[in-house]
């Protein structure tokens, strides 16, 4: 469920989620109304997991008014598992409060993005590695599942090292207890990435790089998938694009390497 609420206070250079947010704080009562209306449209059988994505941090009171937590938890009752997103810095008492109100199991999705030391400093995310690790430990201690997002094509990571740094970040997230990890190729379009590209600080990732990263991560302890949202926008050879996307879909579904794609055009 995509819920509309307050904009995230962080301004990560790769993010374009502000387009789907409100200018001020989320009014109390707005999210339960949105969720209740959306749930009425779902035909049974219900999915086993409900994802509440608010294009911000679920545990930021400005984005999710604390008084709405009981009603949101009540509406989530039919689902055995509930996923919300949060920056590591906003994980804390409100996370525990929501977990206590839920009947289903809580999973928190957290962006690790990268562990490249220079890129981490440049992303505007204000997420030092120790913060991610501390939040991951906190979730594990309180038996809350962790899903992590890792980027491919992070600004300031040299193009030739892009694949390696993404694999390393996936391994780091898995070592900190993430049970599911999504690899997200950075997509331009927010203006800032185009500015960085012109300066030579951002190179858009390719479809083949996404394939390569996923292959490397399939033996990881976590379930690792490639995010295929807007995959048509990734740079790649048009002759084999369709086959490569199918291969990625297959690897996402099975968790196993699929036969290589051979292409006379880009081989
Ligand atoms: S913390 Fe998440 S939602 Fe906020 S700007 Fe960064 S990527 Fe976007
Ligand atoms: Zn090709």
């Amino acid at each position: 469920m995509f819920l509309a609420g307050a904009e995230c206070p962080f301004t990560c250079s790769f993010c374009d989620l502000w387009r789907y947010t409100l200018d001020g704080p989320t009014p109390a009562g707005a999210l339960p109304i949105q969720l209740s209306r959306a749930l009425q449209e779902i035909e049974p059988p219900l999915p086993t997991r409900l994802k509440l994505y608010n294009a911000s941090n679920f545990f930021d009171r400005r984005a999710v008014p604390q008084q709405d937590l009981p009603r949101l938890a009540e509406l989530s009752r039919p689902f055995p598992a509930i996923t919300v997103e949060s920056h590591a810095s906003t994980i804390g008492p409100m996370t525990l409060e929501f977990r206590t109100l839920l009947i289903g199991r809580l999973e928190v999705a957290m962006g690790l993005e990268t562990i490249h030391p220079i890129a981490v400093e440049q992303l505007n995310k204000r997420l030092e590695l120790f913060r991610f690790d501390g939040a991951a430990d906190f979730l594990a201690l309180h038996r809350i599942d962790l899903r992590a997002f890792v980027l491919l094509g992070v600004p300031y990571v040299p193009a030739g090292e892009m694949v390696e740094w993404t694999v390393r970040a996936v391994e780091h997230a898995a070592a900190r207890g993430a049970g599911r990890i999504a690899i997200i190729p950075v997509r331009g379009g927010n203006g800032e990435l185009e500015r960085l590209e012109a300066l030579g600080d951002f190179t858009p990732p390719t479809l083949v790089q996404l394939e390569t990263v996923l292959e490397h991560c399939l033996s990881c302890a976590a379930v690792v998938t490639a995010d295929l949202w807007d995959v048509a926008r990734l740079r790649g050879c048009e002759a084999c694009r369709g086959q490569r996307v199918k291969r990625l879909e297959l690897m996402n579904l099975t968790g196993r390497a699929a036969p290589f794609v051979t292409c006379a055009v880009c081989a």
Side-chain angles (χ1 to χ4, degrees):
M1 296 290 177
F2 292 97
L3 304 172
E7 185 179 348
C8 173
F10 300 94
T11 48
C12 303
S13 56
F14 55 87
C15 181
D16 61 2
L17 294 180
W18 45 267
R19 288 191 279 197
Y20 312 109
T21 56
L22 308 179
D23 287 338
T26 309
L31 298 181
I33 290 174
Q34 290 177 48
L35 180 57
S36 134
R37 285 186 187 157
L39 287 173
Q40 282 167 17
E41 311 226 334
I42 301 185
E43 302 279 339
L46 289 179
T48 53
R49 181 176 294 277
L50 172 67
K51 293 184 187 170
L52 298 176
Y53 283 175
N54 57 320
S56 179
N57 306 294
F58 194 84
F59 303 114
D60 172 1
R61 287 163 199 222
R62 208 174 158 271
V64 178
Q66 201 167 2
Q67 64 262 47
D68 284 346
L69 290 182
R71 180 67 183 135
L72 290 170
E74 195 185 325
L75 288 165
S76 307
R77 264 190 197 163
F79 300 89
I82 294 93
T83 302
V84 299
E85 282 187 318
S86 180
H87 189 286
S89 306
T90 53
I91 290 173
M94 200 167 146
T95 315
L96 296 186
E97 184 184 340
F98 192 52
R99 189 210 61 174
T100 308
L101 290 166
L102 287 174
I103 289 179
R105 189 164 174 102
L106 178 61
E107 179 188 66
V108 176
M110 206 172 29
L112 169 61
E113 325 302 4
T114 183
I115 59 167
H116 186 282
I118 296 170
V120 164
E121 307 243 313
Q122 302 286 342
L123 288 181
N124 277 348
K125 179 141 189 163
R126 286 170 269 160
L127 179 65
E128 300 85 353
L129 205 48
F130 77 86
R131 268 188 220 284
F132 177 90
D133 292 351
D137 289 349
F138 178 88
L139 294 174
L141 181 68
H142 295 287
R143 295 191 306 283
I144 298 170
D145 295 332
L146 168 63
R147 178 183 295 240
F149 300 123
V150 166
L151 298 175
L152 170 69
V154 180
Y156 299 96
V157 174
E161 299 175 19
M162 209 186 269
V163 167
E164 182 198 335
W165 279 103
T166 301
V167 173
R168 286 176 65 175
V170 168
E171 287 169 351
H172 183 92
R176 301 312 302 199
R180 296 178 186 79
I181 303 168
I183 302 163
I184 304 179
V186 174
R187 307 162 188 109
N190 70 356
E192 175 62 4
L193 288 170
E194 285 65 29
R195 189 185 72 83
L196 293 172
E197 188 177 358
L199 292 171
D201 292 329
F202 167 59
T203 309
T206 68
L207 190 56
V208 170
Q209 283 171 326
L210 185 59
E211 253 184 294
T212 311
V213 167
L214 185 58
E215 269 168 17
H216 276 84
C217 295
L218 288 177
S219 55
C220 210
V223 173
V224 184
T225 52
D227 183 292
L228 299 180
W229 184 290
D230 265 354
V231 72
R233 287 176 53 198
L234 273 185
R235 287 188 305 159
C237 164
E238 291 310 319
C240 57
R241 173 181 289 279
Q243 283 171 276
R244 292 191 188 281
V245 172
K246 280 209 179 81
R247 180 168 188 252
L248 280 164
E249 286 170 349
L250 190 62
M251 293 198 290
N252 274 351
L253 283 172
T254 62
R256 287 198 297 272
F260 288 107
V261 172
T262 48
C263 174
V265 178
C266 64

